[in-house]
Amino acid sequence: MPALWPPPGAGGAAAGGIAGYPLDRVHQEAAFLGRHVHWTLTEVLNLDHAQRRRWVREVASQLERERGGG
């Protein structure tokens, strides 16, 4: 099974000067987006760090509003 981080073609470093990103966090984000947006692991990992975090925040925000929390 291939490593999940860095994604293919990332050159070993994440955009924005981030040297590394916790693999557990990548798994959490992939599971969250896979569950709520129905994206595949490949689709999630093709997003750069900033894009993935933005989508996680947006989906979480919408879920919170649906549950009456905001």
Side-chain angles (χ1 to χ4, degrees):
M1 183 170 183
L4 295 177
W5 192 257
I18 299 172
Y21 194 65
L23 190 54
D24 286 346
R25 178 71 59 92
V26 174
H27 288 154
Q28 291 169 354
E29 292 169 358
F32 181 82
L33 292 172
R35 177 179 181 186
H36 295 289
V37 188
H38 309 289
W39 288 343
T40 66
L41 179 59
T42 300
E43 290 169 322
V44 173
L45 293 180
N46 280 333
L47 299 171
D48 68 32
H49 170 74
Q51 291 172 321
R52 195 173 56 249
R53 292 296 302 147
R54 172 62 197 253
W55 279 107
V56 166
R57 282 192 308 271
E58 184 59 37
V59 172
S61 175
Q62 289 186 18
L63 289 171
E64 184 68 22
R65 284 193 300 272
E66 288 175 8
R67 293 178 178 141

